Amino acid sequence: MTDALADHPPTEPQGTRDVYYATTPIFYVNAAPHIGHAYTTILVDIVTRFHRLKGDDTFFLTGTDEHGEKVAKAATAAGVSSQDYVDEISGEFRRTWDAMGISYDEFIRTTEARHQQVVQEVLQRVYDAGDIFYGEYSGLYCVGAERFVTEKELQDGRCPDSEDPPEYRTEANYFFRMEKYRPWLREHILRHPDFIRPERYRNEVLAMLREPIGDLSISRPRSRVPWGIPLPWDDEHVTYVWFDALLNYWSALVSRGVEGRYWPAVNHFIAKDIVKPHGVFWPTMLKAAGLPVYQHLNVHGYWLMDARKMSKSLGNVVRPLDLQEKYGRDAFRYFLLRDMSFGLDANFTEPAIAERINADLANDLGNLLNRTLGMLGKYRDGIVPAFGPLEAADEELRDAFLALPDQMVARFDALQFDRAIEDVMNVVRSANKYIADQAPWLLAKDPDRSARLDTVLRTCLEALRCASVLFESVMPDKCRDLRVQLGLGEGSVTLDDARRWDVIPAGTRASAGEPLFPRIDLEALAREIEAPQGEPLEHKPEIALGDFAKVEFRVGTVTHAEPHPKADKLLVLTVSFGAETRTVVSGIREHYESDELVGKRVVVVANLKPVKLRGVLSQGMILAAEDAQGRLAVVTLDREMPDGSEVR
Ligand code: ME8
């Protein structure tokens, strides 16, 4: 048995190339992949492709988490052996990612011998160092999240991560001295502001570290949970599933002999459900094992369906392959990246996908391509002309495109993926405007302006070529098809290709092919989704006009919003009415993030008697609509009105 920890190779020289190692969580194999899993996996695919395009030395890891009580229970429920069960579902994850063109470098399974060996080596090392002891523990355990939860963490008696009720347990286990590393971890996070990003999750972890975190129970008696990796010094116990699972990020590299090359330049991508294991357990485990801690933990929000997290336990899942088939792989990737602001929750609906595709891809990008190739065919028989002399408008568009690669790198570094896309789309829109301004159809009528027409057509062709390079990581197939239509062939590209203008050789034959992004018929989609019939409205008793006139509604702007310190469902808002500012406590925390509300113009019941809500005085109430599923939407105005205006 090789001791991978002792002899991992030194960093191989990579010249000037930056190293970029990115990971998805390894997913539990207790159910089939859904959009939530697909999002993280597609995101990491896009990000690693982008870094590859940029010339970085990249490594992309994904895989499946196959041990633990949750998986064992699912196998029992399915009436098959644990091994058969995990083989089947892990295969389904892998087949799904393959069918979606996910360019992972390694797919790790925690039931593989290569992983188990590394887990045992790390355990032994931490045990030998005296950081593991035997003891008894009682507490609340959540099988859904596979961890002990504290009373304080509970929300309405349920686990904050899985929303399941935990059970009380007493057990003799081995413990990892996690508390010992708390001061070090706190210090590390304070010193490295970008260790956990975005900031809200960094703050969440710092808040956890303000009080003792306790020691971590890292084993389960084999008699109760036989499905796990035996502890190397006591095979009556198996390894706790999180201690096993987190090590995949390291074991996958070790088993390929590339840990010296890629560790610790790692970017972990996860959703906010597993911040504690990644933000607290994992760095302290690494520290105890004598390994450098990872570079970044990047945490995204949830995709919601009808305002609830999409999850297998809630049964509201959408299968990614169905959507890929319906909307196309690349358009679906584009939607996922564009419609979620990294760190915040986003709503998932099919009309939203269709509208996004129509607006951005069919209209903006698709039109630029169709119009350009249409005119090239009509006025130049499809042959790419050389540039004539450049005018200010041509240079302006060129410079806007050539600034995009650096802007995009900065946006990706800042995890602002939606903005990166929007930056490119804005310049694509300027290209459409450029066509309207230059009116090539008029130039074509004037034989003296032939060189000018050449320049305008050529500018549009270069614009499309640059757009195809900039979107390469998001929509690899469509961007390749686009370049084929431009006559450039299927060869690979690098980000530097978007730093050059005047690339397509004059004389190249370009010709329109199938439309890259066909429009989606929104009405047909609406009919297909079928509007819910709904219950008849339940009306309240009638009131006289005078009763209604007693209520004073005012327009105000939310200038600040923060979670209520003592109540999970409440937000404390500061609302400005121009001459007056008030505090309004509102029960919308499950529906809105604080920053989403800041700047919103809302309608407030302004003459409501002030009340104290869990210790905070609330001077008014904001209006929101609620539907039968309990989704909320805050009432806003459809045009500018000064703060303080009365609503009648
Ligand atoms: O937690 N929106 O696995 P898991 C966005 N095995 N992302 C979502 C999502 C949603 N509604 N639902 C799931 C585990 N995800 C452990 C991880 S890692 C060492 C072990 C994504 O199958 C998101 O990435 O429950 C989330 O963190 C992950 O799936 C949880 O997957």
Side-chain angles (χ1 to χ4, degrees):
M1 188 160 108
T2 60
D3 185 349
L5 287 171
D7 63 12
H8 64 88
T11 305
E12 291 166 22
Q14 291 303 311
T16 53
R17 290 173 80 195
D18 287 335
V19 169
Y20 192 82
Y21 168 36
T23 68
T24 70
I26 47 168
F27 303 110
Y28 285 128
V29 288
N30 61 333
H34 64 68
I35 297 292
H37 309 122
Y39 171 71
T40 320
T41 309
I42 288 173
L43 176 70
V44 174
D45 185 63
I46 291 173
V47 175
T48 21
R49 279 177 194 262
F50 183 74
H51 278 268
R52 265 201 307 272
L53 194 70
K54 184 171 158 266
D56 293 354
D57 176 16
T58 63
F59 194 89
F60 170 6
L61 174 69
T62 188
T64 42
D65 187 355
E66 306 187 4
H67 288 125
E69 291 176 48
K70 183 149 113 165
V71 170
K73 273 189 177 174
T76 310
V80 293
S81 76
S82 295
Q83 191 62 55
D84 287 349
Y85 183 78
V86 300
D87 287 349
E88 170 57 29
I89 312 254
S90 175
E92 192 170 344
F93 270 92
R94 197 173 181 142
R95 284 191 296 276
T96 303
W97 303 154
D98 289 343
M100 296 183 78
I102 301 297
S103 61
Y104 56 84
D105 294 293
E106 184 64 83
F107 187 103
I108 186 122
R109 301 183 53 189
T110 54
T111 49
E112 288 175 87
R114 60 175 175 151
H115 170 74
Q116 307 205 19
Q117 181 185 326
V118 173
V119 170
Q120 290 192 328
E121 283 165 5
V122 171
L123 277 166
Q124 189 66 53
R125 171 169 283 225
V126 178
Y127 185 66
D128 292 346
D131 276 345
I132 290 178
F133 64 94
Y134 192 67
E136 190 159 277
Y137 187 80
S138 303
L140 294 168
Y141 192 78
C142 170
V143 177
E146 292 275 25
R147 67 178 181 88
F148 280 100
V149 287
T150 61
E151 289 277 359
K152 224 176 120 198
E153 280 181 283
L154 297 185
Q155 290 173 358
D156 297 332
R158 289 168 181 269
C159 163
D161 297 348
S162 70
E163 300 183 19
D164 294 339
E167 56 192 63
Y168 192 79
R169 279 190 184 172
T170 297
E171 213 161 71
N173 290 327
Y174 286 92
F175 286 83
F176 161 52
R177 293 189 197 281
M178 189 163 72
E179 171 62 17
K180 171 177 155 189
Y181 294 99
R182 180 165 64 99
W184 161 81
L185 179 57
R186 234 186 128 237
E187 187 65 24
H188 185 83
I189 297 174
L190 290 171
R191 275 172 195 260
H192 300 87
D194 59 359
F195 181 58
I196 300 174
R197 325 183 271 192
E199 199 179 353
R200 60 174 59 202
Y201 302 109
R202 172 175 187 259
N203 291 339
E204 199 178 288
V205 174
L206 282 172
M208 291 174 197
L209 297 176
R210 232 169 265 137
E211 288 167 28
I213 48 176
D215 293 326
L216 182 67
S217 147
I218 52 120
S219 69
R220 299 288 177 266
R222 192 202 265 284
S223 53
R224 190 171 63 75
V225 188
W227 189 237
I229 302 174
L231 297 184
W233 62 88
D234 181 350
D235 68 4
E236 284 309 303
H237 286 79
V238 298
T239 312
Y240 166 49
V241 64
W242 272 109
F243 202 100
D244 158 357
L246 288 161
L247 278 163
N248 89 89
Y249 301 132
W250 168 250
S251 71
L253 297 185
V254 170
S255 70
R256 297 261 301 242
V258 292
E259 69 276 26
R261 177 160 158 195
Y262 295 110
W263 194 267
V266 52
N267 271 272
H268 294 308
F269 287 85
I270 61 167
K272 61 187 182 182
D273 50 347
I274 48 179
V275 167
K276 189 170 184 181
H278 283 81
V280 178
F281 303 174
W282 183 219
T284 53
M285 282 167 61
L286 285 165
K287 181 76 180 160
L291 293 170
V293 285
Y294 58 79
Q295 219 161 44
H296 300 295
L297 177 64
N298 306 314
V299 187
H300 63 75
Y302 290 150
W303 282 101
L304 306 176
M305 290 270 282
D306 298 329
R308 311 259 353 234
K309 180 191 176 195
M310 191 187 294
S311 80
K312 43 214 165 199
S313 53
L314 295 172
N316 58 349
V317 299
V318 182
R319 296 208 170 213
L321 285 179
D322 294 346
L323 290 165
Q324 162 165 309
E325 198 173 316
K326 191 159 170 187
Y327 297 100
R329 180 197 287 181
D330 283 3
F332 178 49
R333 289 163 67 98
Y334 181 91
F335 163 78
L336 289 178
L337 203 70
R338 174 64 187 82
D339 276 51
M340 177 173 266
S341 235
F342 194 88
L344 301 178
D345 293 348
N347 269 313
F348 188 90
T349 69
E350 282 201 46
I353 306 181
E355 278 162 27
R356 178 61 71 194
I357 292 174
N358 284 355
D360 289 15
L361 300 178
N363 267 4
D364 296 335
L365 186 57
N367 260 350
L368 181 62
L369 179 66
N370 297 343
R371 292 166 86 188
T372 303
L373 291 185
M375 291 188 295
L376 189 74
K378 195 159 158 197
Y379 306 136
R380 293 291 181 264
D381 290 328
I383 304 296
V384 175
F387 273 109
L390 298 192
E391 293 186 3
D394 316 328
E395 287 172 347
E396 209 178 291
L397 188 63
R398 175 198 64 194
D399 295 346
F401 267 102
L402 297 185
L404 284 170
D406 287 345
Q407 278 176 32
M408 224 174 157
V409 169
R411 291 288 197 200
F412 268 61
D413 284 349
L415 307 173
Q416 294 170 339
F417 308 111
D418 54 335
R419 306 258 200 104
I421 287 197
E422 197 48 18
D423 287 348
V424 180
M425 264 309 164
N426 278 332
V427 184
V428 166
R429 286 178 202 119
S430 331
N432 278 319
K433 183 166 178 304
Y434 167 89
I435 296 184
D437 292 346
Q438 301 303 317
W441 45 91
L442 296 182
L443 298 174
K445 286 188 184 149
D446 182 351
D448 292 344
R449 309 209 60 197
S450 177
R452 181 68 200 139
L453 178 60
D454 282 351
T455 304
V456 171
L457 292 173
R458 187 54 201 269
T459 299
C460 295
L461 290 162
E462 291 294 333
L464 281 161
R465 185 190 58 78
C466 283
S468 84
V469 175
L470 294 161
F471 281 142
E472 172 75 11
S473 57
V474 186
M475 301 185 283
D477 293 345
K478 295 290 177 186
C479 289
R480 188 198 51 227
D481 293 351
L482 198 164
R483 287 192 296 274
V484 167
Q485 296 198 9
L486 296 181
L488 288 169
E490 299 199 349
S492 61
V493 290
T494 73
L495 194 59
D496 280 340
D497 290 313
R499 294 191 161 97
R500 287 192 286 268
W501 208 237
D502 201 355
V503 169
I504 313 172
T508 300
R509 171 168 292 282
S511 58
E514 291 281 296
L516 287 187
F517 304 105
R519 282 188 75 77
I520 291 162
D521 181 343
L522 294 178
E523 283 178 15
L525 180 66
R527 279 196 299 278
E528 181 193 317
I529 294 173
E530 214 180 321
Q533 295 301 304
E535 297 291 313
L537 297 182
E538 249 182 64
H539 291 290
K540 292 187 174 156
E542 278 179 0
I543 56 166
L545 200 57
D547 292 332
F548 176 71
K550 287 184 197 154
V551 188
E552 183 193 329
F553 298 103
R554 295 250 176 219
V555 175
T557 298
V558 179
T559 55
H560 182 78
E562 59 181 25
H564 190 296
K566 293 200 202 122
D568 293 331
K569 298 205 164 112
L570 300 179
L571 282 180
V572 181
L573 310 178
T574 308
V575 182
S576 162
F577 298 91
E580 191 184 322
T581 298
R582 292 198 186 176
T583 300
V584 174
V585 178
S586 181
I588 53 176
R589 185 160 161 196
E590 288 178 340
H591 308 272
Y592 285 92
E593 302 282 350
S594 310
D595 355 349
E596 262 180 288
L597 289 168
V598 173
K600 254 199 203 339
R601 190 147 286 167
V602 294
V603 178
V604 178
V605 181
N607 62 337
L608 203 64
K609 212 173 178 167
V611 280
K612 254 197 181 169
L613 293 172
R614 308 286 303 268
V616 178
L617 190 69
S618 179
Q619 307 158 289
M621 201 168 82
I622 70 166
L623 297 191
E626 181 173 14
D627 70 5
Q629 284 85 40
R631 289 187 315 166
L632 285 195
V634 165
V635 174
T636 57
L637 302 187
D638 73 351
R639 65 171 60 150
E640 276 304 300
M641 287 298 259
D643 286 338
S645 305
E646 196 172 347
V647 180
R648 298 171 208 272

